[in-house]
Amino acid sequence: MKVDVLLGLQWGDEGKGKIVDVLTPRYDVVTRFQGGPNAGHTLEFNGEKYVLRSIPSGIFQGGKVNVIGNGVVLDPLLFKQEAEALAASGHDITKQLYISKKAHLILPTHRILDAAYEASKGSGKIGTTGKGIGPTYTDKISRNGVRVGDLLHNFSEKYAAAKARHEAILKSLNYQYDITALEKEWFDALEYLKQFKLIDSEHVINGFLKDGKSILAEGAQGTMLDIDFGSYPFVTSSNTICAGCCTGLGISPRSIGDVYGIFKAYCTRVGSGPFPTELFDETGDKIGALGHEFGAVTGRKRRCGWIDLVALRYAVMINGVTQLIMMKSDVLDSFDTIKACVAYKINGEETTEFPFEINDSVEPVYVEIPGWNTDMTKMTSEDEFPEEFNAYLTFLEEELGVPVKIVSVGPDREQTIIRYTEE
Ligand code: GDP
Ligand code: IMO
Ligand code: MG
């Protein structure tokens, strides 16, 4: 069997959690392969809403195995809070969730370092989620990290060495902090973590594949936040692209099956960094209000703009997307006209290729598309789609060269329309 990958094609928050939950019944196993509690994946069903940060979004569908892979960075304290909240709402996940021993731990001082680095950047700050993601991946790459599996071997020494190093950096930055309370809670959470199956996930996952089990890998963040291909340096610190699934799970590129690329019918971004199609007018405010565009983790207002096909085409290329999933089209249900950016004008020259850097000289070139002006939120089949909506889908499929197989018309699990069902 293969691993199908679902990943964001924009700047995150495309609706990955919702669709992973919808697709989970088709799979035996769901995994996360990168990122950490910077993610906030929202699921809605049976009138309830859940936000998952480190736990895969397959956790609610009938006892499927969920795996936190080696490429993830895990904060035991935030993990404990997340798992306990699920338990309180009647979802005991201790039996179905496995955690890779090779996943790196986010230490209390990583969180402090994240804040200190941001403070030191002043107006050039990245606007991180403040969860210690960058410092933890930095330690991983510089070979100073502490891993989940270390809980079973010489943990105290490794922790003390990392903490001492972090404290020296914080001192050099002259950053004031007090981690006494946080550290105590964090150590309590480590004990909590030990009740989960801590596994050699690369062996387990390849074993699943050998046994004919189907696996869905859930990306976090989005392609435009990828450490290599995103809008550097305003990115996260992991490979959010499809290739990250191979290193983040320990599977061969030949094990990748379908690549589901998920995008909003418009575009959002949270935090700093370039965003060519950003709207600063009432249209942007309308999209933000109708789409409830506030961060699932930080509550920050998300910046809103029109769909950017230059960036999307780039994301389709980098990921080898085989199927597209369009989210939140309902947010555009009441627009007479919608716009799509098909090219960038850079110093007077038009290009459809995503440039090395996006700066102030990049101007979006738009086409205008008639809106469908129809409430689509109760639709259940593509047969009900208005003509203008079908025209928008056809336009996107031609621009991106990949079929749109799923359309989401509302946040609920049920508000999901699978297309081309006859195939
Ligand atoms: P993720 O990080 O990619 O999982 O996305 P988030 O959960 O951060 O953000 C997506 C937001 O949009 C959540 O509040 C979802 O409940 C909501 N959502 C998902 N799909 C739809 C949709 O089709 N329409 C609307 N209106 N909201 C949606
Ligand atoms: P999901 O999985 C949207 C953004 C932050 C910041 C940058 C770096 O819910 O789509 P970090 O804390 O990772 O060092 O922050 O990346 N960012 C996200 N934006 N959705 C996310 O996750 C994000 N995770 C990080 O806002 O600009
Ligand atoms: Mg999110």
Side-chain angles (χ1 to χ4, degrees), residues 12-13 16 39-42 296 302:
D13 301 328
K16 298 174 289 293
H41 294 181
T42 316
R302 294 178 184 145

Short mmCIF file of all heavy atoms in Angstrom, two decimals, residues 12-13 16 39-42 296 302, ligand 3:
data_model
loop_
_atom_site.label_atom_id
_atom_site.label_comp_id
_atom_site.label_asym_id
_atom_site.label_seq_id
_atom_site.Cartn_x
_atom_site.Cartn_y
_atom_site.Cartn_z
N GLY A 12 -1.07 28.08 5.18
CA GLY A 12 -1.65 27.38 6.33
C GLY A 12 -3.12 27.70 6.51
O GLY A 12 -3.69 28.54 5.81
N ASP A 13 -3.75 26.97 7.45
CA ASP A 13 -5.16 27.17 7.81
C ASP A 13 -6.11 26.98 6.62
O ASP A 13 -7.18 27.59 6.56
CB ASP A 13 -5.37 28.58 8.41
CG ASP A 13 -4.53 28.78 9.65
OD1 ASP A 13 -4.29 27.79 10.37
OD2 ASP A 13 -4.11 29.92 9.89
N LYS A 16 -7.16 21.76 6.64
CA LYS A 16 -6.60 20.41 6.58
C LYS A 16 -7.28 19.47 7.58
O LYS A 16 -7.63 18.34 7.25
CB LYS A 16 -5.09 20.47 6.87
CG LYS A 16 -4.31 21.27 5.85
CD LYS A 16 -2.85 21.44 6.23
CE LYS A 16 -2.59 22.36 7.40
NZ LYS A 16 -2.89 23.78 7.18
N ALA A 39 0.56 24.29 14.76
CA ALA A 39 -0.63 23.95 13.99
C ALA A 39 -1.88 24.10 14.86
O ALA A 39 -1.84 23.90 16.07
CB ALA A 39 -0.53 22.50 13.51
N GLY A 40 -2.97 24.45 14.21
CA GLY A 40 -4.28 24.44 14.87
C GLY A 40 -5.27 23.94 13.83
O GLY A 40 -5.56 24.64 12.87
N HIS A 41 -5.67 22.69 13.97
CA HIS A 41 -6.52 22.06 12.96
C HIS A 41 -7.93 21.89 13.54
O HIS A 41 -8.11 21.17 14.52
CB HIS A 41 -5.92 20.72 12.54
CG HIS A 41 -4.61 20.86 11.81
ND1 HIS A 41 -3.90 19.81 11.31
CD2 HIS A 41 -3.89 21.97 11.49
CE1 HIS A 41 -2.81 20.26 10.72
NE2 HIS A 41 -2.77 21.57 10.84
N THR A 42 -8.89 22.54 12.90
CA THR A 42 -10.25 22.58 13.44
C THR A 42 -11.14 21.54 12.78
O THR A 42 -11.13 21.39 11.56
CB THR A 42 -10.86 23.98 13.19
OG1 THR A 42 -9.89 24.96 13.50
CG2 THR A 42 -12.12 24.18 14.01
N ALA A 296 -6.62 29.67 14.91
CA ALA A 296 -7.13 28.63 15.81
C ALA A 296 -6.24 28.48 17.05
O ALA A 296 -6.69 28.05 18.10
CB ALA A 296 -7.21 27.30 15.05
N ARG A 302 -6.43 36.89 10.88
CA ARG A 302 -5.69 36.48 9.68
C ARG A 302 -5.84 37.54 8.61
O ARG A 302 -6.92 38.10 8.42
CB ARG A 302 -6.23 35.15 9.15
CG ARG A 302 -6.00 33.99 10.11
CD ARG A 302 -6.61 32.70 9.54
NE ARG A 302 -6.48 31.58 10.46
CZ ARG A 302 -7.40 30.62 10.60
NH1 ARG A 302 -8.50 30.64 9.88
NH2 ARG A 302 -7.20 29.64 11.45
MG MG B 3 -4.77 26.07 11.38
#
